Amino acid sequence: MAARALTVATMLLLAVAGEELKDVKQPAEAVYFSKSTEVVVMGCFEKREGSDWDVFVQVAREINRHGGVGMGSTISKGVWSRYLEADTDKPPAVVVWTSYDPDTGRIRKGKKTKLVLSGPFKFESLYKFLLRESLPLVLRLPANDGPDFQKRQMLGMQSGFPKLFFFVNKKEVEPDSVTEVALLHKQSVICVYYVIDANTEDDEGAQVMKSLGMEAARLPAVAMASSASVKTFQGDVSSAAELSLFVKGFVQDEGEFVPSPRAHPSKGGGKKSSKSSSRKKTAPEL
């Protein structure tokens, strides 16, 4: 039931993958690239080889398999020196530009926050960092924030992170506890806040509640779900402390999510012809 619930929660068509990792060569390119969508990631390296580069490419494939996140890299000191603090950060590093307010998760039009994570890189920690920064603090649904948001929403819903679901009536005000608990547990769960309209046929949140076995639950209602289990919250929804204990208990029982890279078979399979193998190397395909 839990696995079916998370599938229902996605409710989106698969997007086209296979985008290239953008090669950012000039400072002006970086400025334009950073504004190209709500979430943009740029890997900063001295050269495109070695274990840190390999991990970055693996994670980039996973994060951008549905699109929706601008993914690029640079080996130009003239580019990365503008974004890395000389005394604290140096390649390898990733720079993330996000339109999401780090304290609320709401989009800020025309304003971005810059985040930096320095290497060395491990797949698990880099994947978790980029996935969580690709999403708002709270996924507030339903939302009409454009196709890139829908692609990132699918990334979050299909990830192995446990989900903390809130279901509230359309007329109710979002309690402060939602943002508070989302901040406390940002690195271990994805917080999903559904506003339910009882007058809307086939309401998305109501369908997710049904898939979780909560169709009879009174609103507001809260549940934790993973691919293996579902647990409903019986406490005070307005209490961040009670919600936090609930999340901690669920994660402890289920075990923390540990991502691992998927296999990416080469297109067409088999051996490449001598003609194709002699072609000039291009940017890695995501």
Side-chain angles (χ1 to χ4, degrees), residues 63 111 123 134 137 152 183 247 285:
I63 296 297
K111 185 176 181 180
F123 182 89
S134 297
L137 181 65
R152 293 191 298 271
L183 274 169
V247 172
E285 190 178 79

Side-chain angles (χ1 to χ4, degrees), residues 59-209:
V59 172
R61 286 194 180 112
E62 294 296 324
I63 296 297
N64 209 32
R65 57 196 171 101
H66 301 308
V69 179
M71 278 286 181
S73 69
T74 185
I75 55 173
S76 169
K77 186 175 181 179
V79 174
W80 55 253
S81 63
R82 291 170 176 253
Y83 302 105
L84 303 183
E85 299 294 334
D87 296 334
T88 57
D89 302 320
K90 61 180 181 179
V94 291
V95 179
V96 179
W97 292 277
T98 174
S99 296
Y100 295 124
D101 186 318
D103 297 321
T104 67
R106 300 185 187 278
I107 285 182
R108 300 173 297 176
K109 297 293 185 182
K111 185 176 181 180
K112 287 203 170 182
T113 298
K114 185 193 79 175
L115 305 165
V116 176
L117 179 69
S118 296
F121 297 141
K122 298 295 183 183
F123 182 89
E124 178 183 346
S125 56
L126 183 59
Y127 175 88
K128 286 185 172 183
F129 173 76
L130 291 185
L131 187 139
R132 289 307 289 120
E133 299 306 337
S134 297
L135 301 172
L137 181 65
V138 180
L139 273 171
R140 295 177 173 90
L141 303 173
N144 185 22
D145 291 330
D148 279 353
F149 172 81
Q150 292 181 329
K151 293 170 185 177
R152 293 191 298 271
Q153 176 189 340
M154 178 157 40
L155 169 69
M157 287 297 198
Q158 292 187 346
S159 76
F161 275 96
K163 313 299 186 297
L164 173 61
F165 289 105
F166 289 85
F167 303 98
V168 299
N169 192 288
K170 184 179 180 180
K171 297 179 180 179
E172 301 216 8
V173 177
E174 180 182 319
D176 293 339
S177 57
V178 174
T179 301
E180 291 174 19
V181 76
L183 274 169
L184 284 170
H185 300 282
K186 180 179 178 180
Q187 301 307 318
S188 57
V189 304
I190 292 175
C191 184
V192 187
Y193 184 88
Y194 275 108
V195 175
I196 295 179
D197 186 351
N199 297 319
T200 299
E201 189 176 357
D202 297 328
D203 180 88
E204 183 177 336
Q207 290 187 50
V208 174
M209 284 188 72

Side-chain angles (χ1 to χ4, degrees), residues 45-58:
F45 299 87
E46 292 181 333
K47 53 187 177 180
R48 291 189 176 98
E49 58 183 55
S51 59
D52 291 308
W53 168 251
D54 291 342
V55 169
F56 174 73
V57 171
Q58 282 183 317

Side-chain angles (χ1 to χ4, degrees), residues 220-235:
V222 178
M224 284 285 299
S226 68
S227 59
S229 65
V230 176
K231 186 176 181 180
T232 57
F233 176 66
Q234 304 299 327

